[in-house]
């Protein structure tokens, strides 16, 4: 028998926990060594049409750029660690932030000026997302936090760390798409990091084929985009006669920006209409996703969980494993079925610590090699409901590892699929 990790170890203690930190450390002394300056873009703010424009307007939290700076400044190598007022962060593997010129100073105690109220009453939430302006993740961050300040990050992991290091207050990250399936990387990162899911947003994703002005589709030898976007448009590209090379890049808007800045007349990008505007590209084809109802589900992550409620529909996300492998799956799922709790998602990922279980057969017939999994389940109930607490108590008995990733309001916004070309009079 094992115990649930806080704050779910005891349903009552969970219910009585504060939902948001009352105070937070303001990272005024944290700098992001990205070479672009340290202003971040706001959702309401235009970012210009070229990379240079938006580089001026925002910083990408980039581990890559930081390591380039390291090369040019050998004295700083090995010192690129996160710090607030000289207090080093526990996380040192990504060179996310660097405090310059303070190498010899001992850590200073935090003072009252390092603390300020959580950004709940007027001040802007800083929301990390992966990609560059024009990415769907930026739109999802805007839907989740309409008055938030968008902070682009070059990798999913950087977005997680931005929240852990108080550079951002929330991260908004994709977990699954209705056509392309799960974004496995984020499932793995949810387990590796200690952030809590505090909400979800579902974003209709409407893809366009973008190219430089004047380029015709006959000239194209390559289409580039995020692998999910390429998967979501696979059949339509073929129907359009675009049997050209398809190459994966980090994000859809990054693909558009790459075509524009490198003046590539033989390459098209799959990205949003907003990316076309931002990077000065023309739309060769509109609505090229294979299904008009193409939706990506994003989760909102925070350092603290929210208090679960029962006055609106809630979802709870858990991850579990068992020493004896998949044999417990049926028992675990029956704990929900028995209480009429619907599951909305089930996903399995390789068990990180023990991906294979070797079992020698008693009858000397050989050795079975079982793959081991972590199971991720989303169910439609709030942790404030007794039936959910009882179900988890039962799941706990059947599993050797169980963690509640979050209990959060379901996205119930009215369905509005992205506008099709015909509905826009084209
Ligand atoms: O590349 C982007 O624009 C993203 O925001 C990433 C992403 C994803 O990871 O699935 C988000 C939504 C779409 O499904 C396509 C790509």
């Amino acid at each position: 028998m094992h115990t649930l990790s806080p704050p779910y170890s005891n349903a009552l203690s969970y219910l009585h926990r504060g939902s948001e930190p009352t105070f937070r450390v303001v990272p005024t002394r944290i700098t992001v060594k990205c070479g672009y300056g340290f202003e971040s873009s706001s959702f309401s703010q235009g970012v210009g049409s070229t990379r240079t424009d938006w580089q001026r307007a925002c910083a990408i939290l980039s581990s890559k750029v930081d390591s380039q700076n390291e090369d040019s400044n050998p004295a700083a190598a090995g010192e690129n660690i996160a710090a607030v007022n000289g207090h080093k962060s526990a996380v040192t593997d990504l060179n996310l932030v660097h405090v310059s010129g303070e190498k010899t100073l001992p850590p200073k105690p935090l003072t009252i000026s390092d603390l300020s109220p959580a950004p709940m009453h007027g001040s802007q939430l800083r929301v990390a997302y992966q990609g560059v302006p024009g990415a769907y993740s930026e739109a999802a961050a805007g839907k989740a936090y309409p008055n938030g300040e968008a902070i682009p990050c070059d990798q999913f992991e950087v977005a997680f760390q931005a929240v852990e290091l108080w550079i951002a207050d929330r991260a908004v990250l994709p977990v699954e798409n209705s056509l392309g399936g799960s974004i496995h990387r984020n499932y793995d990162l949810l387990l590796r990091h200690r952030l809590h899911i505090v909400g979800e947003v579902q974003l209709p994703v409407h893809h366009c084929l973008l190219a430089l002005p004047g380029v015709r589709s006959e000239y194209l030898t390559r289409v580039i985009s995020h692998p999910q976007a390429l998967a979501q448009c696979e059949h339509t590209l073929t129907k359009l006669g675009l049997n050209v090379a398809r190459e994966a890049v980090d994000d859809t808007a990054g693909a558009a920006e790459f075509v524009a800045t490198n003046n590539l007349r033989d390459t098209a990008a799959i990205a949003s209409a907003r990316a076309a505007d931002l990077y000065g590209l023309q739309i060769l084809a509109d609505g090229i996703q294979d299904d008009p109802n193409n939706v990506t589900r994003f989760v909102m992550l925070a350092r603290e969980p929210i208090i679960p409620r029962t006055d609106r529909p809630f979802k709870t996300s858990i991850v579990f494993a068992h020493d004896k492998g998949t044999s417990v799956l049926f028992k675990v799922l029956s704990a929900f079925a028995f209480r009429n709790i619907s599951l909305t998602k089930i996903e399995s990922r390789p068990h990180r610590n023990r991906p294979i279980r070797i079992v020698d057969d008693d009858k000397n017939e050989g050795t079975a090699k079982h793959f081991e999994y972590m199971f991720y389940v989303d169910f439609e109930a709030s942790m404030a409901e007794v039936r959910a607490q009882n179900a988890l108590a039962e799941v706990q008995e059947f599993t050797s590892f169980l963690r509640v990733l979050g209990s959060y309001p379901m996205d119930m916004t009215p369905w509005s699929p992205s506008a099709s070309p015909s509905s826009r009079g084209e």
Side-chain angles (χ1 to χ4, degrees), residues 307-380:
I307 296 179
R309 298 160 58 147
T310 53
D311 58 349
R312 53 179 295 189
F314 258 64
K315 218 182 238 184
T316 301
S317 299
I318 60 170
V319 52
F320 62 86
H322 191 269
D323 296 342
K324 296 277 180 323
T326 49
S327 56
V328 296
L329 194 52
F330 175 76
K331 290 183 191 164
V332 168
L333 299 188
S334 67
F336 297 103
F338 179 66
R339 295 174 178 86
N340 256 335
I341 298 177
S342 303
L343 306 188
T344 54
K345 164 89 181 164
I346 178 159
E347 180 68 51
S348 63
R349 296 290 302 143
H351 197 298
R352 201 161 36 117
N353 303 333
R354 190 169 41 93
I356 286 267
R357 181 165 49 100
I358 312 284
V359 181
D360 283 323
D361 185 61
D362 296 343
K363 295 181 203 141
N364 233 0
E365 282 173 342
T367 310
K369 291 158 288 293
H370 297 290
F371 283 35
E372 291 291 353
Y373 304 97
M374 308 293 305
F375 293 101
Y376 293 77
V377 166
D378 293 349
F379 59 87
E380 270 183 307

Side-chain angles (χ1 to χ4, degrees), residues 239-319:
K239 274 193 226 146
L240 289 172
L242 282 168
N243 294 312
V244 293
R246 296 170 194 182
E247 284 176 24
V249 295
D250 282 349
D251 72 289
T252 56
E257 181 263 330
F258 185 76
V259 169
T261 46
N262 293 292
N263 202 24
L264 301 175
R265 303 192 71 76
D266 62 348
T267 304
I270 298 173
S272 61
R274 174 168 144 79
D277 274 359
L278 288 178
Y279 303 108
L281 299 180
Q282 62 161 335
I283 298 177
L284 281 181
D286 198 344
I288 58 166
Q289 62 279 1
D290 291 342
D291 183 283
N293 300 328
N294 185 30
V295 179
T296 301
R297 179 174 164 248
F298 294 77
V299 288
M300 289 116 86
L301 302 175
R303 289 177 292 273
E304 295 288 325
I306 56 163
I307 296 179
R309 298 160 58 147
T310 53
D311 58 349
R312 53 179 295 189
F314 258 64
K315 218 182 238 184
T316 301
S317 299
I318 60 170
V319 52

Side-chain angles (χ1 to χ4, degrees), residues 129-132 134-138 156 174 176-177 183 186 203 205 207 225-226 228-229 232 250-254 294-296 298:
Y129 70 93
Q130 188 267 335
V132 298
Y136 297 101
S137 296
E138 186 201 35
F156 290 134
E176 60 179 325
N177 172 268
I183 289 114
N186 280 332
L203 187 83
V205 171
H207 289 302
S225 196
H226 186 280
Q228 272 282 341
Q232 292 160 27
D250 282 349
D251 72 289
T252 56
N294 185 30
V295 179
T296 301
F298 294 77

